[in-house]
Amino acid sequence: MDQGGQLDNLSPILSDQVLVNGTAVPLTLTGDGKLRFLGQRQRCLTVEKEVLGFAVEEGSRIRIKAVVEEREGICCCGNRGDLVRESFVFEPLSEDSLALWSQKLRDYIDSLGRPKRLLIFLNPFGGKKSATKIFSEDVKPYLEDADIQITVIETKHQLHAKEVAKTMDLSKYDGIVCVSGDGILVEVVNGLLEREDWSAAINMPIGMVPAGTGNGMVKSLLHAAGEQCCVYNAILAVIRGYKHSLDVATISQGKTRFFSVLMLAWGLIADIDIESEKYRWMGSARLDFYAIQRIFYLRHYNGRICFVPAPGFEDYGEPMSFHCRPTDEESPKQEESLKTQQHGYLGSDVKLEDMHWRTISGPFVSVWLHNVPWGSEDVMAAPNAKFSDGYLDLIMVKGLPKLALLSMMSNMNDGSHVESPYVTYIKVKAFILEPGTRVEDPTKEGIIDSDGEVIARGNVTYKGNQKPLMAYDKVQITVDQGLATLFAPK
């Protein structure tokens, strides 16, 4: 048995003869994490990327649990792309060798910084109500192979995940995983930031497994790494433990705050996102279906936007002076929110009055702010958006012909809609929205939608089941660069 020196990454950590299918073959674990052995043919597994975990079985055997590229003769269960779970079994020739292999494999896997204890949120009501099935059939087997301890919570009502995140014992977990759409992620982030120990809590890594209607965040993460947006790629990103920082936007009105990680919309996109809820049974197709209705009965909204442009976008809009923050008086419906947020994160302390502001007045068809590229699995809303650049991408549309709008909307699947001459696409550091009435009917107002939730709605508009967090009035958005942490592909 050779326990090689570790002078470089190619030196063997351990090399020994083992039995594979009753035949003695050489097996080597190298310093760069390659597990090389001979079976019917030479095999090499990269521990960091391909090995989920291992188990010591009766008879002094070690079973390596891995994910490998699908090979001829191996059937992949369901639509899993080009990876498949597979086991490789070997038997050390002595008890000492068995103990040493177990120790060296465990030491190397532990050195990768992978999570060992995860809190899992399942949203059984999201999308096509398939989260429980997705977890049991597609997620749990991977976590078991990786020997990760899990605590599973099935959300019972809206804001359930937020309540748990706000009070959970952080010391019990190495991360949180949301088997859901984007809504549970938003709840978790808001819950962590409303804690008294928010500065420590927000460092808790959060993973996403697509099981909802939109799945914009996990699509953005996987697409950025050149990977297909599917369940197994998402859970592998969690198991491997790679992390990526994420900007968090603070939407504020007076002292009321909402923390956004995906987007804010007002006008056409908000109307489609929220008013299409009555067609939720259609899954993601509800968005396309209702978009056609809204395009042919197009609404225009009075209002104004103010923004601090990123470098390179200073020529958009007209210059203005920043006088004060949005309304400092809270309405009665905001009082309960204030009580729960007074000990949490208060938002960026950036001095807005020292920044160079620009303004654009309506009417508007749509105002859309995005933090990440994808709004859903098939809508690339902001192709130039970055996860932690400290900016939001603003996609704004004013007047345009309906046919041009229909063409523009059909190009959202690849992000080319931003190239339309009717689209203004810029990056901003801070933003103020002053929403107004509909041009066609001044008695009616609009919806302010953030991350799929109504945070404000005006007169004679969409009737939701819950009171919105804010009034249909001026709201302010600032960005905290890299505040949150996500599990992400490398």
Side-chain angles (χ1 to χ4, degrees):
M1 184 187 306
D2 180 16
Q3 297 182 58
Q6 298 183 43
L7 298 178
D8 57 64
N9 284 338
L10 298 179
S11 301
I13 294 176
L14 182 59
S15 183
D16 196 10
Q17 290 284 117
V18 301
L19 295 179
V20 176
N21 296 324
T23 303
V25 299
L27 176 64
T28 301
L29 175 63
T30 62
D32 62 346
K34 297 290 194 303
L35 193 61
R36 303 178 185 274
F37 60 95
L38 290 173
Q40 295 179 346
R41 57 182 177 177
Q42 185 170 347
R43 295 300 305 269
C44 177
L45 291 174
T46 302
V47 177
E48 182 178 12
K49 182 178 180 181
E50 296 174 301
V51 174
L52 299 174
F54 71 94
V56 178
E57 301 179 337
E58 291 185 11
S60 301
R61 297 185 307 173
I62 293 179
R63 181 177 297 273
I64 303 293
K65 301 174 181 180
V67 286
V68 297
E69 290 189 6
E70 186 177 2
R71 305 193 314 273
E72 183 179 355
I74 295 178
C75 274
C76 200
C77 206
N79 183 23
R80 290 181 175 273
D82 58 355
L83 293 180
V84 62
R85 291 169 56 226
E86 188 173 357
S87 291
F88 303 91
V89 180
F90 67 90
E91 184 177 350
L93 300 180
S94 68
E95 289 295 324
D96 288 344
S97 178
L98 175 68
L100 192 56
W101 273 108
S102 298
Q103 176 192 334
K104 294 299 184 182
L105 286 170
R106 175 55 56 202
D107 289 348
Y108 192 89
I109 291 174
D110 287 348
S111 74
L112 299 175
R114 293 179 175 181
K116 298 179 180 179
R117 305 161 302 164
L118 293 173
L119 177 63
I120 313 286
F121 284 111
L122 302 183
N123 178 14
F125 307 107
K128 295 183 179 179
K129 302 182 179 179
S130 58
T132 302
K133 184 173 186 288
I134 287 173
F135 175 75
S136 62
E137 296 183 3
D138 299 323
V139 175
K140 190 176 180 182
Y142 282 86
L143 297 175
E144 290 174 341
D145 283 355
D147 196 26
I148 294 176
Q149 299 176 27
I150 59 173
T151 300
V152 180
I153 296 178
E154 193 170 277
T155 57
K156 304 298 183 184
H157 53 81
Q158 192 172 19
L159 302 183
H160 185 185
K162 178 181 175 181
E163 294 165 3
V164 174
K166 191 174 175 180
T167 58
M168 63 183 282
D169 184 349
L170 297 174
S171 66
K172 292 183 177 180
Y173 306 102
D174 303 315
I176 298 171
V177 178
C178 307
V179 184
S180 65
D182 296 305
I184 299 299
L185 168 65
V186 177
E187 288 191 23
V188 170
V189 169
N190 275 267
L192 294 176
L193 286 173
E194 288 185 13
R195 296 170 61 108
E196 190 169 352
D197 62 344
W198 66 266
S199 59
I202 197 59
N203 292 321
M204 175 71 71
I206 307 170
M208 294 293 300
V209 174
T213 300
N215 307 314
M217 184 61 73
V218 68
K219 171 72 173 189
S220 296
L221 290 167
L222 293 170
H223 182 263
E227 296 184 4
Q228 178 187 359
C229 183
C230 60
V231 171
Y232 79 85
N233 277 338
I235 195 59
L236 286 176
V238 174
I239 291 170
R240 290 166 179 160
Y242 307 143
K243 302 174 184 69
H244 201 303
S245 58
L246 177 71
D247 293 343
V248 176
T250 301
I251 304 171
S252 58
Q253 189 178 78
K255 295 181 181 178
T256 303
R257 293 170 184 83
F258 178 82
F259 303 107
S260 169
V261 294
L262 198 68
M263 65 87 173
L264 178 136
W266 171 63
L268 177 64
I269 300 300
D271 294 347
I272 293 171
D273 192 27
I274 301 303
E275 293 178 355
S276 66
E277 283 288 321
K278 56 189 174 185
Y279 304 111
R280 179 166 282 275
W281 56 270
M282 298 175 65
S284 59
R286 68 180 170 90
L287 299 171
D288 293 333
F289 175 75
Y290 193 70
I292 294 174
Q293 294 187 46
R294 283 276 52 86
I295 289 171
F296 282 102
Y297 298 95
L298 193 60
R299 301 166 181 169
H300 299 77
Y301 290 90
N302 294 305
R304 184 172 80 137
I305 61 172
C306 311
F307 55 92
V308 176
F313 299 98
E314 295 91 347
D315 293 336
Y316 289 85
E318 300 297 327
M320 62 164 284
S321 298
F322 183 86
H323 297 293
C324 61
R325 295 178 179 270
T327 311
D328 289 328
E329 297 296 326
E330 280 71 48
S331 62
K333 60 188 172 186
Q334 296 170 333
E335 291 179 359
E336 184 176 349
S337 172
L338 291 179
K339 292 177 183 177
T340 63
Q341 295 188 9
Q342 58 186 348
H343 297 301
Y345 179 57
L346 299 179
S348 173
D349 58 359
V350 62
K351 294 184 178 180
L352 300 179
E353 61 274 13
D354 294 340
M355 305 174 86
H356 299 289
W357 286 84
R358 311 283 290 185
T359 184
I360 298 174
S361 295
F364 301 96
V365 168
S366 178
V367 172
W368 201 5
L369 287 164
H370 243 270
N371 192 34
V372 296
W374 291 84
S376 66
E377 287 191 58
D378 52 6
V379 175
M380 191 182 211
N384 296 335
K386 307 297 181 185
F387 294 101
S388 55
D389 62 353
Y391 298 102
L392 295 172
D393 283 35
L394 169 63
I395 308 102
M396 183 192 69
V397 179
K398 299 186 75 175
L400 79 171
K402 291 180 181 179
L403 287 179
L405 179 56
L406 187 61
S407 174
M408 187 192 80
M409 296 287 283
S410 67
N411 290 330
M412 284 187 174
N413 63 333
D414 62 5
S416 61
H417 63 287
V418 300
E419 299 171 6
S420 167
Y422 300 103
V423 173
T424 298
Y425 181 37
I426 65 175
K427 287 182 175 288
V428 300
K429 181 64 177 176
F431 187 86
I432 292 175
L433 171 63
E434 299 177 2
T437 60
R438 293 187 201 170
V439 173
E440 295 81 7
D441 185 351
T443 66
K444 296 180 180 180
E445 296 172 317
I447 299 167
I448 302 177
D449 162 26
S450 181
D451 297 352
E453 301 299 329
V454 178
I455 62 169
R457 64 172 180 262
N459 294 329
V460 197
T461 185
Y462 167 83
K463 300 297 181 183
N465 297 325
Q466 293 187 335
K467 290 184 177 180
L469 183 67
M470 301 177 185
Y472 187 74
D473 201 348
K474 183 164 59 174
V475 294
Q476 173 183 295
I477 301 105
T478 54
V479 185
D480 278 288
Q481 186 171 5
L483 184 62
T485 302
L486 298 179
F487 287 114
K490 192 171 184 179

